[in-house]
């Protein structure tokens, strides 16, 4: 597991051409803040910043989620223009979709927040990709599926109008594949996969890959 994490981090760093990812850490207490800073400082692909903003990744550490935490997430993504990684101890069922719709594409459990796991999530977020723990992805699919079933009989629900190629890409993202794996699976170039996702998220005003998957699930495409 650790070796694969290192490989994933190295590959992502090489793909980014050596570009360092600016990261700002927000935590509810000094120990958590300094712990995360210490974990990230050891990795040359990370450039620590004092504040988040456009082009940065905001690493937000929360013990649990409340309305204050959700408001903070929305501000970081929508107002400050940062990409967000949420490190959290627990998420209730009714909070999960709200977190994704806030624009959070990467979530790490606090008890799994090793240096390698944090860097993986930060690099995924910097690329606009999703990175959810497997158990959370299953819960998200189940939750959105229930919402879709409840909406089947409601007339006038607008369709996303996804193309077959967009559906294929989103289905593989939902299965946890990264850009390179999707490209190989569909015999596309990585640029094509990125263009498909850019066109989709721009057209439908979606914030990231996890948000796109949630909407596709809600509409019954995947």
């Amino acid at each position: 597991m650790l070796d694969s994490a290192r490989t994933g981090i190295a590959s992502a760093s090489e793909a980014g051409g050596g570009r360092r990812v600016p990261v700002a850490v927000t935590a509810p207490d000094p120990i958590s803040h300094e712990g995360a800073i210490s974990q990230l400082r050891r990795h040359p692909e990370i450039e620590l910043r004092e504040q988040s903003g456009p082009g940065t990744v905001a690493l937000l550490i929360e013990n649990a989620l409340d309305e204050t935490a959700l408001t903070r997430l929305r501000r970081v993504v929508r107002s400050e223009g940062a990409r967000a990684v949420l490190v959290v101890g627990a998420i209730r069922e009714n909070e999960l979709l709200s977190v994704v719709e806030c624009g959070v594409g990467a979530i790490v459990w606090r008890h799994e927040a090793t240096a390698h796991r944090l860097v993986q999530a930060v690099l995924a977020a910097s690329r606009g990709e999703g990175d959810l723990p497997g158990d959370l992805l299953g819960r998200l699919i189940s939750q959105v599926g229930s919402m879709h079933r409840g909406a089947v009989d409601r007339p006038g629900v607008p369709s996303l109008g996804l193309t077959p190629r967009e559906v294929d890409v989103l289905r593989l993202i939902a299965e946890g594949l990264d850009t390179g794996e999707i490209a190989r699976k569909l015999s596309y170039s990585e640029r094509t996969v990125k263009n498909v996702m850019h066109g989709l998220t721009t057209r439908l005003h979606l914030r990231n890959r996890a948000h796109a998957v949630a909407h596709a699930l809600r509409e019954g495409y995947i």
Side-chain angles (χ1 to χ4, degrees), residues 105-157:
I107 300 174
V108 178
W109 292 127
R110 288 195 66 153
H111 67 273
E112 296 178 350
T114 63
H116 290 285
R117 184 70 189 90
L118 290 178
V119 173
Q120 273 189 311
V122 164
L123 293 176
S126 74
R127 299 189 298 267
E129 299 178 357
D131 187 352
L132 303 181
D135 57 334
L136 273 189
L137 183 58
R139 284 164 57 185
L140 179 62
I141 291 172
S142 176
Q143 184 177 356
V144 177
S146 297
M147 293 172 64
H148 172 66
R149 288 191 294 273
V152 166
D153 296 326
R154 290 187 308 187
V157 176

Side-chain angles (χ1 to χ4, degrees), residues 10 17-18 34 40 42 64 84 100-101 104-105 107 113 121 127 136 149 154 160 163 166 169 191 198 207 210 222:
E34 291 305 315
L40 295 172
R42 291 179 279 166
V100 171
E101 292 185 334
V104 177
I107 300 174
R127 299 189 298 267
L136 273 189
R149 288 191 294 273
R154 290 187 308 187
L160 281 178
T163 67
E166 289 170 341
V169 171
R191 181 178 295 276
H198 177 73
R207 298 182 189 91
I222 58 178

Side-chain angles (χ1 to χ4, degrees), residues 7 9 38 49-50 58 69 73 77 84-85 88 101 108 129-130 137 155 160 162 189 194 200 204 212:
T7 301
I9 292 169
S38 176
R49 297 277 183 88
E50 292 293 329
L73 288 172
V77 176
V85 174
V88 68
E101 292 185 334
V108 178
E129 299 178 357
L137 183 58
L160 281 178
L162 299 180
S189 69
K194 291 176 181 177
L200 170 64
L204 300 175

Side-chain angles (χ1 to χ4, degrees), residues 21-65:
V21 177
V23 180
V25 177
T26 300
D29 59 84
I31 292 178
S32 296
H33 183 270
E34 291 305 315
I37 293 290
S38 176
Q39 295 270 54
L40 295 172
R41 185 178 286 126
R42 291 179 279 166
H43 291 268
E45 55 269 75
I46 302 298
E47 177 185 341
L48 292 167
R49 297 277 183 88
E50 292 293 329
Q51 295 182 325
S52 59
T56 66
V57 174
L59 182 74
L60 296 103
I61 303 172
E62 303 286 352
N63 293 316
L65 291 174

